[in-house]
Amino acid sequence: TDEIKAILHPCREQIMLKIKEIELLSEKLKSSNQIMRLCHTDAHGFNLMQNDCLILIDWEGLKLAPVEADLFMWVKKDYWSIFLKSYLKIRPEYKLDDDLISFYTIRRKLEDIWAFIESILYDNLSKKQYISNLSFLSNECRDLEEFCF
């Protein structure tokens, strides 16, 4: 659609740079020796419930991966240092891998951009949902341009 083109055109170069960056990170990380753990892989705030404790829900993406596959979702949050401090009490030997954080963050940003494009093009959206998804797509593109770790 013209609306999608208008959103993507200004960030086309940035998208291409991020694709190249993720390809380079992927090659670099293939030869690294990462410890794999069971990871949720979609551990964002909408997949958390609080009762007496915090509960992570929606485990359909469960897989063996480096823990950064979950932690990347929290790195840019205001409370990251508090979160990491608590995490290090449980796993004091852990060292954050910046390349993995960048890889998972960029990959997720690109996946989200594609998901919004796909939804706008192929889902039977109401006018309100259509406008909302265009806004989300625009925000993701802007965030991609501003992202640096």
Side-chain angles (χ1 to χ4, degrees), residues 23-39:
E23 288 171 344
L24 293 171
L25 282 168
S26 178
E27 284 303 312
K28 180 180 179 181
L29 293 169
K30 280 181 190 176
S31 62
S32 66
N33 198 12
Q34 296 298 320
I35 296 172
M36 303 297 207
R37 307 274 188 210
L38 278 178
C39 291

Side-chain angles (χ1 to χ4, degrees), residues 49-112:
M49 289 177 43
Q50 187 164 2
N51 195 355
D52 294 335
C53 61
L54 211 50
I55 301 168
L56 194 55
I57 61 169
D58 187 12
W59 286 83
E60 68 187 34
L62 180 67
K63 65 176 68 170
L64 282 174
V67 296
E68 286 83 357
D70 284 340
L71 296 180
F72 84 94
M73 298 291 281
W74 309 102
V75 171
K76 292 290 186 176
K77 303 293 184 190
D78 292 338
Y79 48 82
W80 167 246
S81 60
I82 297 166
F83 180 93
L84 184 60
K85 186 177 177 179
S86 296
Y87 186 80
L88 290 173
K89 286 180 183 176
I90 298 165
R91 291 197 51 217
E93 78 289 353
Y94 174 73
K95 299 285 186 254
L96 186 70
D97 186 312
D98 291 346
D99 286 338
L100 282 167
I101 292 293
S102 291
F103 173 83
Y104 285 112
T105 303
I106 295 167
R107 186 181 78 173
R108 178 58 180 255
K109 291 281 182 200
L110 293 172
E111 287 171 346
D112 287 350

